[in-house]
Amino acid sequence: MNGGGPGRSFVVAHDRDLEAIVKRAERVFADGRGATILVEGEAGIGKTTVLAAAMTAAVAAGVAVVHASASVLDRTRPFGPLLDAFGLDPATRSRVLPASVAAALRDEFDQDLTGSVGERRATARVSPLRLVPAERAHTIEQIATMVETWSLDHPVLLALDDLHWADSATLATLARLHRLVSSQRLTLMAAFRPVPHNPDLRDLISGCIGKGGELFALGPLAPDAVRGLVADTIGHQPGPALLDSAARAGGNPFLIIELVRSFDHDGRISIVDDIAELETPALTGEGVVSDVREVILRRMADLGQETSHLLQVASALGRTFSVIDMAAMLGRPVAALLPAISTTVSAGLLEEDGQQLRFRHDLVREAVESTIGRPTLAALHLDIARTLASTGAPAVRIAAHYSLGAQPGDRTAVEWLRTAAAEIVSRGPTAAAELLERALTLTPVGDPDRDAVIAELVDAAFWGGAIDRAVELARAALARPLPPVLAAGLHETMTRALVVLGRPTEAVVHAERLIDLGALPAWAAANVAMFKLFALDLDGAVADARRAIELCEIEDDPWAETLAYCVAAWEENSRGFHRHAVELADRAVLAADRSPNAEAHRLIPHLFRGLTLESTGRTAEAQATLLHGQQLAEQLGTSWATPFYHYALALTPWNAGRWDGVHAEIGAGLRYAREHNIGLVASWACALDATASLFHGDLDAAEAMLDEGDERLATGGIQYGIDWPLRGRALLLEATGDSAGALATLQLGWDVAEGLKASAALVILGPDLVRIALDVGDVEAARRATDALSRDTTIGVVDDGRLNIDADALRCRGMLDGELPMLFDARRVHTDCDRPVEVAQDDEAITLTLARLGRLDEASRHMQVCVAVCDELGIMLIPERLQRNLAAIVPTAAGLAGIGLDPAKPRTARAATGWGALTVTEHLVATLVAAGRTNPQVAAELLISRRTVESHLYRIFFKLGVTNRTELAVVAMRSAAES
């Protein structure tokens, strides 16, 4: 099943289920579509068999296969199964994956993980806007880009087994890849047990099922299938007693096979007239799983003491292990182990897996491991850790075994755990936090390193999303004297955590403590400035930004200077002084250019510059700046800023009235934000998208986006830009007939903006507040708002540096005082600035004012001008409310007819579906894709991002009722033939 609709869940008998899954996969491969297929079942039920059958079908259909399994030790190895899938020697996988393709995948993946990490981590400074683990987000996006590009040329099956052991980074990557299956030739298949399910796996399952994925829950074998499996295993039809004993396995194929093989091994099965029958009673015990464990252990004992020893060591190494590691553990050359290894393979306990060995099943490994007492097993893990350390193994592998074997007070173990955590925290913070939690339990109270472990754990817990745990630990640690370096790190993490929790005022307190601690004073002051912006303290933010800039004049600090000028530019822009804001943003970019390796560009100054340029009407420069900043963000590993760039890029189509462009950019940004849990500014983005939907008449879509924005405000903390959600909600109330509620909502936002002296917020709320206040007869409210909006403006004069502020002030003053020249001046300014949406609202104000003055003939003529502008832009909202408000001003039907209004005649909206429903941009994207262009090629041709192209495709697919590029091409050809 493809697309964004809900998926399906299936629970049927195992044999029919297996066939259904494979048939489903075969249909996907044959159709050239993508799909996400999840397979759930208990250990031994046949999940691996299902994946193997699907992979065989994929190879037969010419689909390239990438396959890997997770193991219990992968919980602390970020992207572990994916590393295995893309990093194996291609020679061992050539039967399913062309060697050249495998090599290319491996090189690209490995380069992403190792090639630029050093550069991206050359400084310990972190942008105050970064609230997610940068390396993890960057790597996930790089993997998605790699797989997407590859699947355009090669249909791909990515099959992952034992997903219940996978780390959170792998699960997050699969969630990201699931979004590609609706438009790419990519099929995801994953198998997992019902338990254990960690929260990340539960989220992945629910997310996939909620958006087109399919879940097959493998049930037990049906009686006929049990009979067939027993017959296949023993080579003869089973008798009643043998079938009865096999039935004790509950329809679990692995357990059935092991039981029957054990009966045969013990000589308890006789063959009479081609019927296999059990001569003696079945094994006793509380359950068949324990019976099978006994079977495996007896088979293991039959192999001799030396081989049993080898198997025990192997069980501690993991389900898959290296023969070289085994030899190192046993202190023997590999050649000396060959006879024992061959014996275990022949006995069906181990099997070859490329250049490694693995247990035939997790139940086999668990049975062998159960023969080792707990103290001995812990000691064995400790021995493995020391051996791996002596051979130069990766720190994460060493730490995993120290975690299982060390005792409190083991300083060596703690150091390895900390080393491993430091290496993976930026890519796998959850795994790093698990290692550090273990390190903390091993570090006694009073140990001089305990506070350092806590500080590292606080950092990892925060980046891993365990915000409450990070705050709890940091608060307790900061209650006692700490070395300044540790205290500074804890205060910095606390600032971020409190912002995420929606408590920015408390965050400022911790940010100010960084100044008191005296380290990097300019940088600390710049951070305080940014966090005061989060707390909506504009005056305090600009004061601290100026202080940081002054400190930079004493001691050059381009990082602090960049951040301080970004804050200053944002503040000036928010007050409406856009031209000066551009000058400040230019200084931020120049300061970042001066930093070593230009690393201060990780503070995203181009985003601030782009916003200020768009505010001044320099749209082309704004777009170029934002696109350049977006490219820099990907190169520098600041992909956490991706949604911010999409939100900013949405302002250009918003100002131009290109609603599809607004939806595409906001959609791309919000999808990224949802996948990476980036809540900052998301409510503003939801409101902008909602307001665009309102303008072109889709009230249901607007309400859904406003609801999402409200939810993000409630759960994600303070969101600068609260004016847009309030405006969107007010316009929705007005559109549904509640003008009084709309006015109250705008008045609330106005009061907040007035207190903050945020002129840009007044511009957003002011014109609608004045218009609605006049519509409901509250002239005093309209006057207060107009006076406040005009306080820094000379009446009738437009300052080139404050075009938006002054033009909107002119509109408000003209509506309030009935001064038509002011309204026409506002229209002229907006026309010159190429703001057609504002022009439409000027025309609305002119029409209403003419009607209020009784000049109905002129109102009629200008209403036609207004409607023509709105029709060209696809605006439904303004003509509808204009008609409603005119009806209130001109109460008689004759009067309405005199100005050309017919209340009974509804306006015609654009078609919602079909080729004719596509906008100009969507038509262009659809035509290019139908012609065979890839997403990156379309992006390069249209000068937009790959994610924006993907966002357009989502809307195109929905409007055309298609699920993939092939169907899109068919619709495009049919439309061309009909035209």
Side-chain angles (χ1 to χ4, degrees):
M1 174 175 277
N2 297 313
R8 293 181 289 174
S9 232
F10 305 87
V11 183
V12 294
H14 176 281
D15 49 330
R16 295 195 301 274
D17 212 14
L18 189 150
E19 182 180 358
I21 298 172
V22 175
K23 290 293 185 184
R24 174 71 181 101
E26 288 176 341
R27 288 197 303 273
V28 171
F29 303 148
D31 294 344
R33 300 183 179 185
T36 296
I37 300 172
L38 305 177
V39 183
E40 182 182 62
E42 65 183 36
I45 201 68
K47 301 184 299 297
T48 301
T49 302
V50 170
L51 291 186
M55 287 189 287
T56 299
V59 174
V63 175
V65 176
V66 181
H67 171 245
S69 298
S71 70
V72 65
L73 295 177
D74 281 324
R75 287 291 300 157
T76 55
R77 192 163 66 109
F79 303 100
L82 295 175
L83 280 169
D84 293 339
F86 297 128
L88 294 174
D89 183 350
T92 67
R93 327 169 22 198
S94 57
R95 62 186 176 85
V96 292
L97 188 62
S100 59
V101 175
L105 279 173
R106 183 191 66 244
D107 293 344
E108 189 168 356
F109 190 78
D110 289 347
Q111 180 181 6
D112 176 63
L113 287 180
T114 60
S116 58
V117 170
E119 291 182 8
R120 293 199 295 268
R121 299 186 64 195
T123 176
R125 298 197 196 187
V126 177
S127 168
L129 293 172
R130 176 187 153 192
L131 302 177
V132 294
E135 289 293 338
R136 176 183 169 184
H138 178 77
T139 303
I140 290 173
E141 289 304 310
Q142 289 299 100
I143 294 172
T145 300
M146 176 186 70
V147 173
E148 178 183 7
T149 302
W150 182 39
S151 66
L152 292 172
D153 299 321
H154 306 271
V156 181
L157 168 64
L158 175 58
L160 295 177
D161 204 357
D162 292 328
L163 203 63
H164 48 277
W165 297 128
D167 65 288
S168 62
T170 293
L171 297 173
T173 304
L174 292 180
R176 173 68 177 90
L177 293 176
H178 170 66
R179 184 155 64 84
L180 298 178
V181 302
S182 64
S183 60
Q184 307 297 131
R185 294 184 295 173
L186 170 66
T187 300
L188 302 180
M189 288 193 71
F192 47 86
R193 297 181 190 177
V195 291
H197 275 197
N198 59 64
D200 294 319
L201 179 54
R202 286 196 298 270
D203 289 345
L204 172 65
I205 295 169
S206 62
C208 288
I209 297 304
K211 295 184 179 178
E214 297 174 77
L215 173 65
F216 290 81
L218 286 179
L221 289 176
D224 288 347
V226 173
R227 177 186 294 275
L229 181 58
V230 174
D232 289 342
T233 303
I234 202 68
H236 301 276
Q237 288 298 315
L242 180 57
L243 267 182
D244 182 62
S245 294
R248 297 173 58 228
N252 185 299
F254 177 82
L255 300 181
I256 291 170
I257 291 171
E258 291 303 315
L259 278 176
V260 172
R261 284 179 176 175
S262 72
F263 298 154
D264 188 38
H265 179 271
D266 294 342
R268 299 164 60 196
I269 296 178
S270 61
I271 311 298
V272 178
D273 295 331
D274 203 32
I275 299 296
E277 187 57 284
L278 190 64
E279 292 187 335
T280 57
L283 293 173
T284 60
E286 292 183 358
V288 71
V289 174
S290 61
D291 290 348
V292 170
R293 180 179 292 114
E294 291 301 319
V295 169
I296 294 170
L297 297 184
R298 285 193 294 114
R299 191 182 309 167
M300 171 182 164
D302 290 343
L303 300 180
Q305 184 175 357
E306 180 179 348
T307 303
S308 295
H309 181 208
L310 180 147
L311 286 169
Q312 287 177 316
V313 173
S315 71
L317 284 170
R319 183 178 178 187
T320 302
F321 57 91
S322 163
V323 177
I324 294 175
D325 288 344
M326 168 68 69
M329 276 299 302
L330 296 174
R332 300 180 63 186
V334 172
L337 300 179
L338 292 180
I341 291 174
S342 178
T343 300
T344 61
V345 173
S346 299
L349 299 175
L350 298 181
E351 60 187 11
E352 293 182 355
D353 181 21
Q355 294 183 334
Q356 295 186 309
L357 291 174
R358 69 177 179 185
F359 283 90
R360 188 166 65 85
H361 197 280
D362 259 342
L363 291 175
V364 176
R365 189 198 66 80
E366 291 166 7
V368 173
E369 189 182 62
S370 70
T371 65
I372 311 171
R374 285 184 177 274
T376 304
L377 182 60
L380 181 56
H381 278 296
L382 204 57
D383 200 17
I384 291 173
R386 291 165 180 160
T387 301
L388 291 176
S390 69
T391 61
V396 172
R397 289 188 59 207
I398 297 167
H401 289 284
Y402 266 122
S403 179
L404 294 170
Q407 298 296 315
D410 189 333
R411 299 180 68 86
T412 301
V414 170
E415 285 306 308
W416 275 112
L417 290 165
R418 293 175 65 188
T419 298
E423 288 183 2
I424 68 174
V425 67
S426 61
R427 285 184 286 118
T430 302
E434 290 180 12
L435 293 173
L436 290 166
E437 288 280 10
R438 177 63 174 145
L440 188 61
T441 65
L442 297 175
T443 307
V445 175
D447 188 296
D449 289 336
R450 185 174 174 85
D451 285 332
V453 174
I454 290 174
E456 293 162 11
L457 175 55
V458 167
D459 189 59
F462 169 76
W463 294 122
I467 310 298
D468 290 333
R469 175 63 171 157
V471 169
E472 172 195 2
L473 288 167
R475 200 181 299 282
L478 289 170
R480 55 183 180 270
L482 293 173
V485 174
L486 291 183
L490 289 170
H491 281 297
E492 186 170 350
T493 302
M494 280 290 281
T495 58
R496 300 173 190 283
L498 290 166
V499 166
V500 171
L501 292 173
R503 292 145 59 184
T505 303
E506 294 179 53
V508 169
V509 174
H510 288 275
E512 289 175 333
R513 285 289 294 125
L514 294 172
I515 296 177
D516 298 337
L517 289 169
L520 300 172
W523 175 245
N527 270 272
V528 171
M530 182 61 76
F531 285 114
K532 284 185 177 179
L533 269 185
F534 290 158
L536 303 180
D537 178 7
L538 291 189
D539 290 339
V542 73
D544 283 298
R546 288 171 180 165
R547 179 183 179 189
I549 293 169
E550 291 171 358
L551 290 170
C552 287
E553 294 175 357
I554 301 172
E555 183 173 350
D556 186 43
D557 187 338
W559 272 76
E561 188 175 349
T562 300
L563 183 58
Y565 274 122
C566 285
V567 173
W570 180 281
E571 185 270 343
E572 280 290 274
N573 202 48
S574 71
R575 294 186 195 275
F577 297 98
H578 307 307
R579 188 166 57 186
H580 186 219
V582 172
E583 296 172 1
L584 294 170
D586 286 345
R587 295 180 188 178
V589 172
L590 291 173
D593 288 341
R594 280 200 346 269
S595 64
N597 299 319
E599 278 195 348
H601 277 289
R602 284 163 37 188
L603 299 172
I604 55 174
H606 283 285
L607 175 70
F608 293 85
R609 184 172 188 268
L611 289 169
T612 60
L613 286 168
E614 181 61 35
S615 294
T616 64
R618 294 159 62 181
T619 295
E621 290 179 76
Q623 290 281 290
T625 292
L626 291 170
L627 289 171
H628 178 60
Q630 201 171 39
Q631 293 171 354
L632 275 178
E634 294 183 357
Q635 294 170 8
L636 294 170
T638 53
S639 54
W640 51 266
T642 293
F644 306 154
Y645 279 104
H646 281 295
Y647 302 157
L649 286 164
L651 289 173
T652 293
W654 163 264
N655 287 323
R658 291 190 290 104
W659 315 118
D660 62 329
V662 176
H663 295 314
E665 294 294 355
I666 295 296
L670 285 176
R671 273 191 292 275
Y672 189 102
R674 294 182 190 113
E675 288 162 0
H676 298 287
N677 198 28
I678 301 173
L680 190 62
V681 197
S683 64
W684 176 90
C686 289
L688 184 66
D689 188 84
T691 309
S693 292
L694 279 171
F695 267 70
H696 63 78
D698 192 343
L699 271 60
D700 290 339
E703 185 171 18
M705 289 304 297
L706 287 170
D707 287 345
E708 179 178 342
D710 289 347
E711 183 178 347
R712 287 178 174 275
L713 277 173
T715 61
I718 194 69
Q719 304 285 330
Y720 195 93
I722 186 65
D723 47 346
W724 274 90
L726 288 171
R727 183 197 185 194
R729 186 64 69 181
L731 292 178
L732 179 61
L733 288 169
E734 182 192 23
T736 54
D738 186 3
S739 294
L743 181 60
T745 300
L746 289 172
Q747 191 65 60
L748 171 65
W750 183 270
D751 293 340
V752 173
E754 275 276 79
L756 296 171
K757 299 180 181 178
S759 300
L762 303 185
V763 172
I764 296 301
L765 302 176
D768 287 308
L769 194 157
V770 172
R771 177 181 56 77
I772 295 174
L774 291 174
D775 289 340
V776 302
D778 192 343
V779 177
E780 184 56 32
R783 185 171 303 283
R784 285 197 304 270
T786 300
D787 290 345
L789 193 59
S790 306
R791 67 164 59 98
D792 296 320
T793 299
T794 301
I795 300 298
V797 176
V798 177
D799 182 347
D800 286 345
R802 288 168 50 88
L803 290 176
N804 291 338
I805 295 286
D806 289 348
D808 283 302
L810 281 175
R811 183 197 297 162
C812 292
R813 182 64 65 183
M815 284 191 292
L816 177 67
D817 296 339
E819 291 288 341
L820 287 167
M822 290 186 178
L823 293 173
F824 280 103
D825 281 347
R827 190 183 196 279
R828 174 185 54 77
V829 171
H830 285 136
T831 301
D832 292 343
C833 291
D834 195 22
R835 293 288 194 268
V837 178
E838 296 298 328
V839 170
Q841 292 175 91
D842 292 329
D843 286 333
E844 176 188 23
I846 291 170
T847 301
L848 288 172
T849 301
L850 285 167
R852 290 188 181 108
L853 293 173
R855 297 160 61 173
L856 298 186
D857 288 343
E858 294 174 77
S860 175
R861 288 194 297 272
H862 211 84
M863 183 192 70
Q864 302 308 319
V865 173
C866 179
V867 170
V869 171
C870 290
D871 284 346
E872 184 177 349
L873 296 173
I875 296 176
M876 299 288 292
L877 180 71
I878 292 177
E880 288 173 357
R881 73 188 184 197
L882 178 58
Q883 179 169 302
R884 185 171 59 250
N885 290 329
L886 283 172
I889 297 171
V890 185
T892 67
L896 288 174
I899 58 175
L901 282 180
D902 182 358
K905 183 179 179 182
R907 298 181 69 247
T908 302
R910 176 192 289 271
T913 59
W915 192 261
L918 301 185
T919 65
V920 173
T921 303
E922 289 169 350
H923 185 278
L924 183 56
V925 170
T927 302
L928 291 172
V929 170
R933 303 285 209 287
T934 66
N935 286 11
Q937 289 170 335
V938 175
E941 191 161 341
L942 300 184
L943 298 178
I944 56 180
S945 75
R946 173 181 55 80
R947 280 176 292 271
T948 304
V949 174
E950 186 179 310
S951 191
H952 276 299
L953 280 176
Y954 269 93
R955 298 182 67 83
I956 292 168
F957 282 8
F958 174 78
K959 289 180 178 181
L960 299 183
V962 302
T963 58
N964 57 64
R965 291 164 179 264
T966 302
E967 293 177 356
L968 170 59
V970 171
V971 174
M973 286 188 292
R974 185 188 304 130
S975 175
E978 293 172 352
S979 62

